[in-house]
Amino acid sequence: MRFKKIYIEITNTCNLACSFCIQNQRKPKIMTIEEFTYVIDQIKPYTKYIYLHVMGEPLSHPDLKQFLSICEKSNIMVNMTTNGTLLKQKADILLSSKIRQINISLHSFPQHMQEAYIENAVMVGKQLAQKGCFVSYRLWCMRHGMLDDATKAIVKKLETLYQCEIKEIEKGSVRLSDYTFLHFDEVFEWPDRNHPYVGDEGYCLGMKQMCGILSNGDVVPCCLDSKADICLGNIFETPMKEILSSKRVIDMVQAFAKQEVKEELCQRCSYRLRFSKDAKHM
């Protein structure tokens, strides 16, 4: 089994409490250097790319610099997702490390009153892009293809800062500059067992192209299983090889291949509807 990416939640705590986020409902936990080193050793046979994200703000981790160094020594390419509020504070660490891509969730802006938020994000974003790091500013706050006036103002500010014109606002990515993009998407709903039933037919990329490892070591099939409702095992208790060869994992993968959705959380997940029937051939 080989994954395009594995999400690693180095912390489940965040410096914001955004309304669009399901919020961490587990015991606060940050990975230690020893735990992270072990996780990287365990997943190396299964992917070349990790994403520092599930819940929490990765830039808030006190050992971020050491984590990035561990990845570089292990030839693991790092992608991360951040709300952007700590970019200026952590710029030296980011610029002195090897990062493949950073996703900056600008749609967190209504949740804080940080002065010069966009300007600081762009300042660091431009510096990272000059080093060959892909920078993706995210505005995942569309509703039926539309943006509110406050978000439109951010788009205008980005046009000014990058001296470009965004002619159409629609789902997908717009190039702002070399290595730099602005990505629009609809607001999505985090899956939850208490949500309405969606269906037992369909497909997902979970355990096909991706999986996640939470801060306490629980292995989950995707980055949206924020509460480990589908805990496939704990990497600190069971080797990754054994977890991936377990009956539950095999059954899930085989079911998705037949357009069948077996897990209860997945049956109540609307995000998977974004994947077409042809997704398994990607």
Side-chain angles (χ1 to χ4, degrees):
M1 187 175 288
R2 188 80 178 173
F3 298 103
K4 283 190 174 181
K5 54 191 173 184
I6 293 180
Y7 291 84
I8 302 179
E9 180 190 74
I10 59 176
T11 176
N12 61 13
T13 64
C14 186
N15 60 332
L16 298 180
C18 298
S19 59
F20 56 79
C21 180
I22 197 171
Q23 308 295 328
N24 177 50
Q25 298 177 40
R26 292 172 279 124
K27 181 180 179 180
K29 172 74 169 70
I30 66 171
M31 279 192 185
T32 65
I33 293 176
E34 292 76 16
E35 289 171 336
F36 185 76
T37 301
Y38 177 79
V39 168
I40 293 299
D41 287 341
Q42 285 287 302
I43 67 159
K44 275 194 298 186
Y46 305 104
T47 192
K48 187 179 179 181
Y49 301 94
I50 65 168
Y51 276 71
L52 299 184
H53 181 56
V54 175
M55 298 298 292
E57 171 51 56
L59 294 187
S60 70
H61 199 293
D63 298 317
L64 178 64
K65 183 174 180 61
Q66 291 92 323
F67 284 9
L68 295 175
S69 176
I70 290 167
C71 291
E72 184 171 356
K73 291 176 182 177
S74 299
N75 197 31
I76 294 290
M77 304 295 288
V78 176
N79 309 270
M80 69 171 65
T81 298
T82 172
N83 59 41
T85 58
L86 301 176
L87 279 172
K88 184 178 180 181
Q89 179 182 334
K90 301 292 183 175
D92 288 345
I93 292 175
L94 297 175
L95 292 169
S96 63
S97 303
K98 189 174 182 180
I99 301 173
R100 177 186 175 272
Q101 178 169 326
I102 187 164
N103 305 312
I104 305 171
S105 298
L106 296 182
H107 47 270
S108 66
F109 76 91
Q111 317 299 324
H112 59 83
M113 298 295 292
Q114 187 180 64
E115 186 177 354
Y117 170 64
I118 300 299
E119 290 81 359
N120 287 338
V122 169
M123 177 185 68
V124 180
K126 286 183 176 181
Q127 293 174 319
L128 287 168
Q130 289 175 355
K131 293 177 82 283
C133 171
F134 290 100
V135 177
S136 178
Y137 299 108
R138 289 179 172 178
L139 286 173
W140 288 11
C141 47
M142 301 182 84
R143 295 188 183 276
H144 307 293
M146 304 295 291
L147 297 177
D148 61 26
D149 290 342
T151 307
K152 288 178 182 178
I154 287 183
V155 175
K156 289 295 184 183
K157 185 169 289 189
L158 290 172
E159 286 181 316
T160 299
L161 292 170
Y162 278 98
Q163 298 183 337
C164 66
E165 181 182 3
I166 300 172
K167 296 181 179 180
E168 294 186 21
I169 296 178
E170 57 185 15
K171 287 175 62 175
S173 290
V174 177
R175 181 182 178 278
L176 300 179
S177 184
D178 290 345
Y179 293 96
T180 308
F181 301 86
L182 173 59
H183 189 265
F184 297 103
D185 210 336
E186 295 280 328
V187 174
F188 71 88
E189 185 176 44
W190 289 77
D192 190 283
R193 284 179 172 174
N194 296 318
H195 287 173
Y197 180 75
V198 175
D200 60 4
E201 295 183 359
Y203 184 77
C204 183
L205 302 179
M207 301 313 297
K208 173 71 173 179
Q209 294 187 7
M210 64 176 173
C211 69
I213 300 172
L214 303 185
S215 53
N216 69 343
D218 285 345
V219 178
V220 295
C222 78
C223 62
L224 296 182
D225 188 359
S226 64
K227 295 183 287 185
D229 286 319
I230 310 175
C231 181
L232 303 170
N234 188 288
I235 199 169
F236 298 135
E237 300 171 359
T238 306
M240 191 68 169
K241 181 178 180 180
E242 290 185 26
I243 293 174
L244 296 180
S245 61
S246 68
K247 183 178 185 301
R248 190 175 187 184
V249 169
I250 293 172
D251 287 348
M252 183 185 299
V253 172
Q254 291 179 344
F256 280 141
K258 295 184 290 186
Q259 297 288 320
E260 298 175 357
V261 181
K262 297 294 187 181
E263 295 285 347
E264 181 184 1
L265 183 70
C266 303
Q267 292 175 350
R268 298 176 184 276
C269 175
S270 59
Y271 191 89
R272 64 177 173 80
L273 300 179
R274 301 184 181 202
F275 303 126
S276 69
K277 290 184 178 181
D278 293 328
K280 60 184 176 183
H281 301 301
M282 291 171 61

